[in-house]
Amino acid sequence: MANDAKTLAEALARRTAAERRETMANAVIEGNGSYPIVAPLRSLVEIQLHGITATGWGEDQAIENWIKAADPQPAGVEA
C-alpha cells in the first residue's frame, strides 16, 4: 500500500488542481477510501486512502496535504 500511495502522490503532484480532484476521486473509488462526494467550497475536508489520512481547508488543500503525507520529502529538501 505504501508504494501505491507514493506512486499516486507523485502522479498527483504533476497535475493541475482540477486533474488532481478527478484523479483522487477515482483512486478513492478504486481503493475503497474515503473522499467527500460534494464538499462546500470552504469546509474541512478529510481524505482517507492507502492507510493515509489528510485534512485541509477545502478539497485542494486536503489533496495537497495527502500528497505531502504520502510522499514526504527528506529533511532539508524542498520540492
Side-chain angles (χ1 to χ4, degrees), residues 24-39:
M24 180 59 82
N26 289 332
V28 167
I29 290 167
E30 293 171 5
N32 199 27
S34 173
Y35 184 80
I37 294 172
V38 176

Side-chain angles (χ1 to χ4, degrees), residues 1-10 49-52 66 69-72:
M1 291 293 189
N3 193 36
D4 291 339
K6 183 176 170 67
T7 300
L8 177 59
E10 290 170 350
L49 182 62
H50 298 309
I52 298 168
W66 190 92
D71 190 19

Side-chain angles (χ1 to χ4, degrees), residues 12-79:
L12 288 167
R14 295 186 301 266
R15 291 186 164 94
T16 66
E19 292 169 334
R20 283 180 175 188
R21 289 188 295 272
E22 183 176 343
T23 300
M24 180 59 82
N26 289 332
V28 167
I29 290 167
E30 293 171 5
N32 199 27
S34 173
Y35 184 80
I37 294 172
V38 176
L41 184 60
R42 302 294 292 165
S43 64
L44 185 63
V45 173
E46 180 179 276
I47 299 170
Q48 297 175 7
L49 182 62
H50 298 309
I52 298 168
T53 299
T55 59
W57 191 243
E59 193 174 1
D60 293 334
Q61 187 181 53
I63 293 171
E64 182 66 29
N65 291 340
W66 190 92
I67 292 168
K68 289 176 183 175
D71 190 19
Q73 297 295 315
V77 176
E78 293 186 29

